[in-house]
Amino acid sequence: MRHPILFISLLLLFPVDSRSEDRSPFSYLDVFELEYGSDPRLSPDGTQIAYVRNSFDIRTDRAVGKIWIVGLEENTHRPLTEGAESESSPRWSPVGKSIAYLSGGQIRVKHLDRGRQTVTVTRGLESPQSLVWSPDGTMIAFTMRVPEKDKPWAQVPTAPEGAQWAEPAQVIDRLVYRIDGSGYVKGGYRHLFVVPAEGGTARQLTEGEFHHDGDPGWAPDGRTIYISANRNPDWEYESQESEIYSVSLTDGAMRMVTDRRGPDHSPAVSPDGNWIAYLGFDEQFLGYQLDQLTVQALDGTKRTVLAASLGRAIESPRFSADGTGVYFRFDDHGDSKIGYVPREGGKVRVVADHVGGTTIGRPYASGSFDVGSGDRVVYPRTTAGSPGEIALVHPGTAEPLILTALNSDLLPHRALAPVEELLVPSSHDGAEIQAWLAHPADYDPGRKYPLLLEIHGGPFANYGARFSAEVQLYAAAGYLVLYANPRGSTSYGQEFGNQIHHAYPGHDYDDLMSCVDAVIARGSVDVERLFVTGGSGGGVLTAWIVGKTDRFRAAVVAKPVIHWTSFVLTSDFSSYFTKFWFPGYPWDHPEHYFARSPLSLVGNVKTPTMLLTGEEDYRTPMSETEQYYKALKLLKVDTAMVRIPGASHGIAARPSNLVRKVAYVLSWFEKHDEIP
């Protein structure tokens, strides 16, 4: 970690036109006009890029993805299809004459060499995922849920004809019975399939009451597929456990390739078929553990952990075209990057930075990449002033080539907030805390502004200098917007992340207050007009803050945890939280659970505090919000509860809910912004 001294430097992450008065402020309806690119894929010859162009339909209030193709040699940019259905997961065939993709819950193939004919490859009742072409282009592998047969629990008489009886009972016997964003879990297991690329009957390769996850990895000879699975009998209670398996296409025989306590996943096979790269770690039961990159000889003679000195969590390994190195994605100090390391080990080379821009609401890490011939790398690139644009880098280029301008018809005509980086020593122990400050577009250093502290969730996540519609809307309303990565945030290494292990919220309060004090010290903040909000883990910290200080004029606690005991027993992944975030079950450690709960500080709260949560949030269920609301009401603290119908933990999944969230936050702050 860099030396913990305070300095503030302006990042020209998005040029601010000096004639900002000629441009409109970023507004609520502008959210519906935003576009971003995601999941880019290079054609085998490196001359074309297929990607998903994401936009928002204001009539249906939904995100819509359409596959577009960028022609690098002919300088073209065109849609793959003319249909109205949303599309995703473009995948080039090995010879580059066809593209497989998902649309309407099925795999479709567009044949670019047959008059752009489209073939629907699958026709099942379930939706395929994670499609990958076979090396010879004759088959497509994918995963799909296989429904479980109904097991009647009780014999109930049949209703007479015309009778209107109550809905039948729903019997639940699984540990994980509902998942945020997906709802109540249907019985069944994800299995590996292959289907002829021209269409036909899909063949199931794996069996058993186990889930098989992630993208499959084909061996170059086309006779074996590698996939990650947790096939332990106690898999429901071992959420972190998994191994890499080889699956024979001949008879479905499975062989365990990895074998250790901990997760192994994301297999990638080298072009010569002799090596496999994958991610995982040796289980230590810590809250934050780094996925390491391992390359293993498939004959079992050698295994090497690569890029260990990087000290960062690694994602999405991809072999180089010649198989002598591995590309991967990682986060470092709030910036998502693509790295490269030789297969035999050595120094990591950073290939690209500013990856992301595919999470529009708040400035979280995101984005994917692909590697093609000549080691060309394509990815979505973001700045604080622009969502993901498709960019290309290749050996010998100093700067990325930006291939799209999806928001050129909108954002240059809006007065956007410039962003500064802050590095602040924490009052707790001097640890360096990285933060960012967004200014109103018409910022005048001689004026005083209200300050809005916006806190990220996770807590094992990170913010950065990435586009954020919510930050832009807050700044457009006249606020200085401060966001930070307190201890526990990712992208700073395992030690920094685990400073909240069995201690969260821990000293995040000191980190965040130090950042607030650093901004105030600059002289542009009206200290009587401080506001705070955050969602999920940020909701935890917001509720914790108002329990420890009265310095904020008003607060909005979004989708919080209020009592850790009720949370771990109602959240979707109870087995994970009790095992990795706490020393044991709540009935064995009741004092520990309560001492870390914002409910323990509720008697101190004087700050007007609004709560905001989706009614179908199964990660931090509505019951958490309801108990805090009732507690504040009993104490006669000024409060309100905003319930978002149909919304899960990801409130911003629908653009109108992103807008609605910001509007209610600003309304609450404006209501309490009058100085007595």
Side-chain angles (χ1 to χ4, degrees), residues 32 34 36 52-58 60-66 84-87 360 652-656:
F32 290 91
L34 292 170
Y36 62 92
V52 181
R53 183 171 179 168
N54 301 274
S55 60
F56 301 104
D57 188 327
I58 197 169
T60 62
D61 189 25
R62 298 286 185 183
V64 177
K66 298 295 294 182
E85 288 184 313
S86 194
E87 302 162 352
I360 294 299
R654 302 189 72 171
S656 69

Coordinates of all heavy atoms in Angstrom, one line a residue, residues 32 34 36 52-58 60-66 84-87 360 652-656:
F32 N -32.5 6.9 -18.8 CA -33.1 6.0 -19.8 C -32.4 6.1 -21.1 O -32.5 5.3 -22.0 CB -34.6 6.4 -20.0 CG -35.4 6.0 -18.8 CD1 -35.7 6.9 -17.8 CD2 -36.0 4.7 -18.7 CE1 -36.5 6.6 -16.7 CE2 -36.8 4.4 -17.7 CZ -37.1 5.3 -16.7
L34 N -29.0 6.4 -21.5 CA -27.6 5.9 -21.4 C -27.5 4.5 -22.1 O -28.4 3.7 -22.2 CB -27.2 5.7 -19.9 CG -27.1 6.9 -19.1 CD1 -26.9 6.5 -17.6 CD2 -25.9 7.7 -19.5
Y36 N -24.3 1.3 -22.9 CA -23.0 0.9 -22.6 C -22.7 -0.5 -23.3 O -23.6 -1.2 -23.6 CB -22.7 0.7 -21.1 CG -23.6 -0.3 -20.4 CD1 -23.3 -1.6 -20.2 CD2 -24.9 0.1 -19.9 CE1 -24.1 -2.5 -19.6 CE2 -25.7 -0.7 -19.2 CZ -25.3 -2.1 -19.1 OH -26.1 -3.0 -18.4
V52 N -22.3 -6.8 -26.7 CA -23.7 -6.5 -26.4 C -23.8 -5.0 -26.1 O -23.1 -4.4 -25.3 CB -24.1 -7.3 -25.1 CG1 -25.6 -6.9 -24.8 CG2 -23.9 -8.7 -25.3
R53 N -24.7 -4.4 -26.9 CA -25.0 -3.0 -26.8 C -26.2 -2.8 -25.9 O -27.3 -3.2 -26.3 CB -25.2 -2.3 -28.2 CG -25.5 -0.8 -28.1 CD -25.5 -0.2 -29.5 NE -25.8 1.2 -29.5 CZ -25.6 2.0 -30.5 NH1 -25.2 1.5 -31.7 NH2 -25.9 3.3 -30.4
N54 N -26.0 -2.3 -24.7 CA -27.1 -2.3 -23.7 C -27.7 -0.9 -23.7 O -27.0 0.1 -23.7 CB -26.5 -2.6 -22.3 CG -25.8 -3.9 -22.3 OD1 -26.5 -4.9 -22.0 ND2 -24.5 -4.0 -22.5
S55 N -29.0 -0.9 -23.6 CA -29.8 0.4 -23.5 C -31.0 0.1 -22.6 O -31.2 -1.0 -22.1 CB -30.2 0.9 -24.9 OG -31.1 -0.1 -25.5
F56 N -31.8 1.1 -22.4 CA -33.0 1.0 -21.6 C -34.3 1.4 -22.3 O -34.3 2.4 -23.0 CB -32.9 1.9 -20.3 CG -31.7 1.6 -19.5 CD1 -30.5 2.4 -19.5 CD2 -31.6 0.5 -18.7 CE1 -29.4 2.1 -18.8 CE2 -30.5 0.2 -17.9 CZ -29.4 1.0 -18.0
D57 N -35.3 0.6 -22.2 CA -36.6 0.8 -22.9 C -37.4 1.6 -21.9 O -37.9 1.0 -20.9 CB -37.2 -0.5 -23.3 CG -38.5 -0.3 -24.2 OD1 -39.2 0.7 -23.9 OD2 -38.7 -1.2 -25.0
I58 N -37.7 2.8 -22.2 CA -38.5 3.7 -21.3 C -39.9 3.2 -21.1 O -40.6 3.4 -20.1 CB -38.4 5.1 -21.7 CG1 -38.8 6.1 -20.5 CG2 -39.3 5.4 -22.9 CD1 -38.6 7.5 -20.8
T60 N -41.0 -0.2 -21.4 CA -41.1 -1.4 -20.6 C -40.3 -1.3 -19.3 O -40.4 -2.2 -18.4 CB -40.5 -2.6 -21.4 OG1 -39.2 -2.4 -21.7 CG2 -41.3 -2.8 -22.7
D61 N -39.5 -0.2 -19.1 CA -38.7 0.0 -17.9 C -37.7 -1.2 -17.7 O -37.5 -1.6 -16.6 CB -39.6 0.2 -16.7 CG -38.8 0.7 -15.5 OD1 -37.8 1.3 -15.6 OD2 -39.3 0.4 -14.4
R62 N -37.1 -1.6 -18.8 CA -36.2 -2.8 -18.7 C -34.9 -2.5 -19.5 O -34.9 -1.7 -20.4 CB -36.9 -4.0 -19.3 CG -38.1 -4.5 -18.6 CD -37.8 -5.1 -17.3 NE -39.0 -5.7 -16.6 CZ -39.0 -6.2 -15.4 NH1 -37.9 -6.4 -14.7 NH2 -40.1 -6.7 -14.9
A63 N -33.9 -3.1 -19.1 CA -32.6 -3.1 -19.9 C -32.8 -4.0 -21.1 O -33.4 -5.1 -21.0 CB -31.5 -3.5 -19.0
V64 N -32.3 -3.6 -22.2 CA -32.3 -4.3 -23.4 C -30.9 -4.5 -24.0 O -30.2 -3.5 -24.1 CB -33.2 -3.6 -24.5 CG1 -33.2 -4.5 -25.8 CG2 -34.6 -3.5 -23.9
G65 N -30.6 -5.7 -24.3 CA -29.2 -6.0 -24.9 C -29.4 -6.4 -26.3 O -30.2 -7.3 -26.7
K66 N -28.6 -5.8 -27.2 CA -28.6 -6.2 -28.7 C -27.2 -6.4 -29.1 O -26.3 -5.6 -28.7 CB -29.3 -5.1 -29.5 CG -30.7 -4.9 -29.2 CD -31.6 -6.1 -29.5 CE -31.7 -6.4 -31.0 NZ -32.5 -7.6 -31.3
A84 N -36.6 -7.8 -32.1 CA -36.9 -7.0 -30.9 C -36.5 -7.7 -29.6 O -36.4 -7.0 -28.6 CB -38.4 -6.7 -30.9
E85 N -36.2 -9.0 -29.6 CA -35.9 -9.7 -28.4 C -34.5 -9.2 -27.9 O -33.6 -9.0 -28.6 CB -35.9 -11.2 -28.6 CG -37.3 -11.8 -28.7 CD -37.3 -13.3 -28.8 OE1 -36.4 -13.8 -29.6 OE2 -38.0 -13.9 -28.1
S86 N -34.4 -9.3 -26.5 CA -33.1 -9.0 -25.9 C -32.1 -10.1 -26.2 O -32.5 -11.3 -26.3 CB -33.2 -8.8 -24.4 OG -32.1 -8.2 -23.9
E87 N -30.8 -9.8 -26.4 CA -29.8 -10.7 -26.8 C -28.6 -10.6 -25.9 O -28.3 -9.6 -25.3 CB -29.3 -10.5 -28.2 CG -30.5 -10.6 -29.2 CD -30.1 -10.0 -30.6 OE1 -29.0 -9.3 -30.7 OE2 -30.9 -10.1 -31.5
I360 N -24.4 0.7 -14.0 CA -24.7 2.1 -14.3 C -25.0 2.9 -13.0 O -24.7 4.1 -12.9 CB -25.9 2.2 -15.3 CG1 -25.5 1.7 -16.6 CG2 -26.4 3.7 -15.4 CD1 -24.3 2.4 -17.3
A652 N -31.5 -0.9 -8.7 CA -31.3 -0.2 -9.9 C -31.4 -1.1 -11.1 O -31.2 -0.7 -12.3 CB -30.0 0.5 -9.9
A653 N -31.8 -2.4 -11.0 CA -32.0 -3.3 -12.1 C -33.0 -2.7 -13.1 O -32.9 -2.9 -14.3 CB -32.4 -4.7 -11.7
R654 N -34.0 -2.0 -12.6 CA -34.9 -1.3 -13.5 C -34.6 0.2 -13.4 O -34.5 0.8 -12.3 CB -36.4 -1.6 -13.1 CG -36.7 -3.0 -13.2 CD -38.2 -3.3 -13.0 NE -39.0 -2.9 -14.2 CZ -40.3 -3.1 -14.3 NH1 -40.9 -3.8 -13.4 NH2 -40.9 -2.8 -15.4
P655 N -34.4 0.9 -14.6 CA -34.0 2.3 -14.5 C -34.9 3.2 -13.8 O -34.5 4.1 -13.1 CB -33.9 2.7 -16.0 CG -34.7 1.6 -16.8 CD -34.6 0.4 -15.9
S656 N -36.2 2.9 -13.8 CA -37.2 3.8 -13.0 C -36.9 3.7 -11.5 O -37.1 4.6 -10.8 CB -38.6 3.4 -13.3 OG -39.0 2.2 -12.8

